[in-house]
Amino acid sequence: MPASPSTARALNDRQALRLLQQEGPLTAGQLKQLTGLSRPTVADLVDRLTAAGLITVVGESGEQRRGPNARLYGIVAGRAHLAALDVRTEGVLVLVSDLLGRVLAEASAPIGGDTGTGPAVEQAVAAVERAVKEGGADRLHTVGIGAPGLIDPATGDLRDSAGLPAWHRSLVAALQDRLPGARVTVENETNLAALAEQREGAARDRDTFVLLWLGHGVGAAVVLDGTLRRGASGGTGEIGFLPVPGTSTLPSATDCDGGFHSLAGAAAVVSLAVECGLPVDGTADGPDGPLDGPGAARVVRGAADGVEAARVVRGAVAGASAADERFLHTLADRIAVGAASVAAVLDPGCVVLGGEVGRAGGAVLAGLVGERLRRMSPLATEVRASGLGGAAVLRGALLTARERAQDELFGPSEHHSRRRPE
C-alpha cells in the first residue's frame, strides 16, 4: 500500500537527516540529487526540519555562488548532548558529545575495590556531571553505558554477576535519578566493542564476525549478517564457560574455572608468564626473596587483572628471548582452542582479538593464533587485531547513544518538538 502523506514526509525527513549526518552540510540541490526527491518536496522538508530545530544554515557552497540555492544546511549538533561510559571493575571512563558524536569533554574516576557501593556510585556520577559541565551541556538526552556482565534482554537491566562490583548495578538507577529526562541504557562491554569495530575498526568490511574479548575475563560478541546476536537470555558469547581441553576440571553453572577462562583469562595469562620465566609484578616480593614456580603462580592468580596481563603480553611481543617466544606461542595455542570452537559452530570468517590482552598482542598475537586456527579448522577464518585499542567500548557506547538519540529526534515530524532543549 502507498504510504500516507505524513508517513512519506517522515521517511523523507529521516533520509535527508541521515544524509546530512553521513555527508556533512549539503545544499538543497545536493539533497535533491542524493534523495531523488522533487525540488518542492526538498524545499518543504528543509523548511520543516529548520522549524523543528534539527537543521540550520551553516554556510554557502562556494564563493562564486550566492543566494538561497547556495545555502549549506547542516544538523544542529547542539540539539542534543550525549554521554558514553565505560564501566570497569576499577573505575569508570566518561565522555560527553554533541549529536554528531563530536567529543566535547572527557573524565575518569578510579574506584578502589574496597570502596562501598554508595561512595563508588557517587564517584562515578560525579565524573559524569563533571564532564557534562566541562562540555558546556545543559542536560543530557541519552546516556550509553558499557559494562561487564549479562544484560537481561527483556528488561535491559544489568544482571547480578559473580565477581563484579555491586556498584555497577546501582549506577544506572543513580544516573536516571541525577540526570532527569535522560535516556539511560546499558549494554555488555564486549558487544559494544564489537559494534565499534564493525563501524570504525578492524571489522568494517565484515557483516559476519566474532570479537574475542581477552582481558580480566574472556568473552565473545557475535555479529551475524550485520546484526549483533544476544541470545535468549543475553548470554551469547559467554565463552569463559566453554569446556575446552587443557584444563584440570569442568566449569559449573556458577563458576567458569575449568572453562576457556582458565586458559585465557588474565590470571591464567600472568600465571603462564611466571611459568615461562617472564617478569611479573609481585613475583619478586616474597618474604624469602624472589618467588618462582607454583608459589608465584598462586600469588599472581589471586592478584592478576587485565592491566598486568596486557603488560606481560606487550613485553613479550617487544622482546626477543626464548622465554618471550615460548610464552607467546603457548598463549596462541590456548586462544586458538577457543577460537576454533567458536569457528566450528558459527563459521564467522573473521575473529577479532580485543580486550586488554588482545590489544597488547596486536598483529603478532593475531598472526600466531591465525596460523594455529588454519591447522585446527577446515573453515577459513581470518584473525585480526583490534583496530580501536582501548577506546572500543567507549566508542561503542557513544555510537549506541547517538543512534538512539537520533532515532527519537529524527523520527516522525509530529514528534520533533517533544524533546526540544529548554
Side-chain angles (χ1 to χ4, degrees):
M1 295 179 62
S4 66
S6 61
T7 300
R9 285 194 297 270
L11 292 173
N12 292 340
D13 290 357
R14 193 178 185 88
Q15 182 185 12
L17 287 163
R18 291 298 182 193
L19 284 169
L20 290 168
Q21 175 197 339
Q22 295 165 8
E23 306 293 334
L26 298 169
T27 65
Q30 290 169 326
L31 281 171
K32 174 182 178 297
Q33 181 180 7
L34 292 170
T35 61
L37 299 173
S38 67
R39 189 178 303 276
T41 300
V42 169
D44 287 343
L45 75 82
V46 166
D47 288 344
R48 192 162 53 245
L49 295 177
T50 301
L54 290 174
I55 68 173
T56 189
V57 177
V58 296
E60 293 189 338
S61 62
E63 294 182 0
Q64 304 302 318
R65 300 182 60 191
R66 292 291 184 268
N69 292 334
R71 290 174 183 165
L72 280 170
Y73 295 91
I75 291 176
V76 178
R79 180 69 165 79
H81 290 96
L82 320 169
L85 280 70
D86 181 357
V87 177
R88 307 182 179 188
T89 55
E90 69 277 8
V92 61
L93 302 175
V94 183
L95 63 79
V96 170
S97 84
D98 61 24
L99 185 58
L100 292 177
R102 293 188 295 232
V103 177
L104 305 175
E106 299 180 66
S108 63
I111 299 174
D114 57 351
T115 306
T117 298
V121 169
E122 182 59 34
Q123 290 178 42
V125 174
V128 176
E129 293 176 334
R130 185 167 66 252
V132 170
K133 183 177 180 180
E134 291 177 359
D138 294 328
R139 69 176 192 174
L140 293 175
H141 182 284
T142 304
V143 179
I145 302 174
L150 293 176
I151 308 299
D152 189 321
T155 64
D157 295 333
L158 185 64
R159 291 165 52 181
D160 284 317
S161 298
L164 295 178
W167 63 267
H168 282 195
R169 295 192 72 245
S170 303
L171 179 59
V172 174
L175 288 171
Q176 289 173 330
D177 182 59
R178 296 273 284 272
L179 302 171
R183 299 171 62 193
V184 181
T185 59
V186 62
E187 178 60 271
N188 174 266
E189 61 178 355
T190 308
N191 287 344
L192 289 179
L195 290 174
E197 295 287 357
Q198 182 186 29
R199 304 287 181 79
E200 302 177 344
R204 281 175 293 180
D205 60 338
R206 294 282 182 169
D207 287 332
T208 295
F209 71 99
V210 168
L211 174 72
L212 200 60
W213 183 270
L214 306 167
H216 178 72
V218 297
V222 177
V223 177
L224 301 178
D225 299 324
T227 302
L228 179 69
R229 305 296 180 177
R230 294 179 174 82
S233 64
T236 293
E238 285 295 309
I239 61 170
F241 289 88
L242 185 71
V244 292
T247 62
S248 59
T249 184
L250 290 173
S252 70
T254 57
D255 191 349
C256 58
D257 282 345
F260 183 53
H261 173 84
S262 295
L263 288 185
V269 171
V270 176
S271 185
L272 174 63
V274 173
E275 294 171 16
C276 292
L278 299 181
V280 173
D281 283 353
T283 59
D285 298 328
D288 300 316
L291 291 172
D292 55 20
R298 284 194 296 272
V299 171
V300 298
R301 186 174 291 112
D305 59 15
V307 175
E308 175 59 15
R311 188 196 66 78
V312 172
V313 173
R314 195 175 296 111
V317 169
S321 68
D324 292 322
E325 184 174 349
R326 182 167 63 254
F327 168 77
L328 287 174
H329 281 261
T330 305
L331 179 59
D333 289 340
R334 294 181 175 192
I335 295 171
V337 169
S341 300
V342 170
V345 175
L346 297 174
D347 188 18
C350 179
V351 171
V352 176
L353 302 186
E356 296 94 336
V357 170
R359 295 194 303 268
V364 172
L365 183 60
L368 292 173
V369 174
E371 290 175 6
R372 285 151 178 77
L373 199 53
R374 285 191 290 274
R375 297 197 299 264
M376 296 172 66
S377 173
L379 305 174
T381 307
E382 185 178 1
V383 180
R384 300 177 178 178
S386 166
L388 296 175
V393 175
L394 208 53
R395 288 300 304 171
L398 177 58
L399 289 168
T400 301
R402 190 178 74 181
E403 285 190 357
R404 287 173 176 165
Q406 290 179 347
D407 280 344
E408 179 175 331
L409 293 171
F410 295 179
S413 56
E414 58 265 28
H415 298 305
H416 284 160
S417 61
R418 285 194 310 173
R419 297 289 294 269
R420 293 290 296 274
E422 296 174 357

